[in-house]
Amino acid sequence: VTDAKGQRVLRLSSDQSVPAAKPKDLTSAHVTALEPPPWARSPAPREPHLSLPLAPSRIAPYDVDETGDPVAAVATPGASPAESAMPSPLALAGSNRFQRGLITHALLEHLPTIPSERWQEAAEAFADSRGDVLKPGVRRNIVEEVLALLRDPEFAAAFGPDSRAEAPVVAEIPDPTGKGLPLRLNAVMDRLVVLEREVLVIDYKTNRPPPFDPAEVSMAYVMQLAAYRLALRRIYTDKTIRAAILWTDGARLMELPGAQLDAAERDLWLLAKARLDA
């Protein structure tokens, strides 16, 4: 034959001399479909577990007045001192409710990564850019609080080279008795400081006014830090794990006593047992 370019092509062909055999899997004329078992038609049941954090971990709830300035929440009759500082979700529904906490957390995370002589300028520029919905006085107060924290020698290690901001932690911790639900933790720790012999986990809270006694700290906060301590113990087996809350109002670092964290840890497993029994 001749192709499209006028070149000669030789082609050899041969007819098939043996009939094609049928595939062995088609020898049966009828195929019957099987009915799937009942479990194949329903969603798999959720595996029971205790999941934390039980409350938002990064931004502490606080209430504000009509101008956006933070104020103490109205106490609920019969509530404990720690609970009275926790407004209801409806009270936090405003679009500007968390703006102060968001800006504070962002500044504490990023300012330590730049030279200290630029902190003032960078903090003011960031607060003005991200907090334009807040009053100028509120923005100035945020900057003053954050810079006071960073410049305080007491917090040098917390923001030094051995510290890390926004440290993620994911863990599944089995019940110590082997009978209850595991604790599944998927969170971000505000600050993690790893030293030679100890580890310090810090959670920022913007409550106004903050408590001065660790016994008055909301149980949700204490259980959250107790869960962090449980996970960190499995990672840093040869170090002492400490936990603290950094109250941005007043630039105060409050370490939670070990006994208080131990009690909260027991409450975690009691909560897991209650869910299992339910």
Side-chain angles (χ1 to χ4, degrees):
V1 296
T2 303
D3 65 9
K5 296 181 179 181
Q7 295 177 330
R8 188 183 181 200
V9 179
L10 298 178
R11 181 175 62 192
L12 177 66
S13 63
S14 176
D15 295 332
Q16 184 169 321
S17 59
V18 179
K22 294 183 178 181
K24 293 181 179 180
D25 56 353
L26 296 181
T27 54
S28 177
H30 301 284
V31 178
T32 304
L34 296 177
E35 181 66 21
W39 58 262
R41 298 185 179 276
S42 60
R46 292 176 62 93
E47 182 180 357
H49 65 274
L50 178 61
S51 181
L52 282 187
L54 301 175
S57 62
R58 296 182 57 192
I59 305 299
Y62 60 90
D63 208 352
V64 297
D65 60 18
E66 66 278 2
T67 65
D69 288 324
V71 296
V74 178
T76 303
S80 68
E83 292 171 339
S84 64
M86 300 282 287
S88 70
L90 289 178
L92 301 173
S95 59
N96 302 333
R97 298 288 177 166
F98 291 134
Q99 195 68 20
R100 184 186 187 103
L102 288 170
I103 295 174
T104 299
H105 279 68
L107 290 175
L108 288 172
E109 177 183 357
H110 297 296
L111 284 182
T113 65
I114 66 175
S116 58
E117 59 268 19
R118 294 180 50 201
W119 285 353
Q120 184 81 37
E121 177 186 0
E124 291 176 353
F126 183 86
D128 289 341
S129 172
R130 298 298 179 90
D132 56 341
V133 297
L134 301 176
K135 294 174 59 178
V138 176
R139 298 199 296 268
R140 287 194 300 270
N141 185 255
I142 293 173
V143 172
E144 290 172 0
E145 284 184 348
V146 171
L147 294 182
L149 285 170
L150 296 181
R151 291 168 176 165
D152 193 324
E154 181 183 357
F155 307 126
F159 299 100
D162 296 318
S163 66
R164 179 181 177 185
E166 301 292 306
V169 56
V170 180
E172 179 168 302
I173 306 168
D175 181 275
T177 66
K179 300 178 181 179
L181 299 175
L183 169 64
R184 290 182 181 173
L185 181 64
N186 186 354
V188 177
M189 297 175 288
D190 289 330
R191 202 87 191 175
L192 183 66
V193 186
V194 181
L195 302 175
E196 183 178 356
R197 297 183 179 180
E198 62 185 18
V199 174
L200 176 63
V201 56
I202 302 175
D203 199 54
Y204 304 155
K205 298 301 180 188
T206 56
N207 292 54
R208 290 172 167 260
F212 283 87
D213 186 345
E216 297 179 355
V217 175
S218 168
M219 180 53 68
Y221 296 168
V222 182
M223 293 178 74
Q224 175 188 327
L225 285 167
Y228 291 167
R229 190 180 66 159
L230 274 171
L232 292 171
R233 276 177 174 169
R234 299 171 68 87
I235 300 172
Y236 302 100
T237 56
D238 59 338
K239 298 180 186 291
T240 300
I241 311 299
R242 298 162 55 200
I245 294 177
L246 197 158
W247 303 105
T248 60
D249 183 27
R252 188 161 45 87
L253 187 67
M254 175 190 288
E255 182 172 358
L256 298 183
Q260 186 178 13
L261 292 169
D262 291 341
E265 185 178 317
R266 290 191 294 270
D267 288 340
L268 282 173
W269 299 122
L270 290 175
L271 179 60
K273 183 179 184 302
R275 289 193 181 183
L276 185 63
D277 295 341

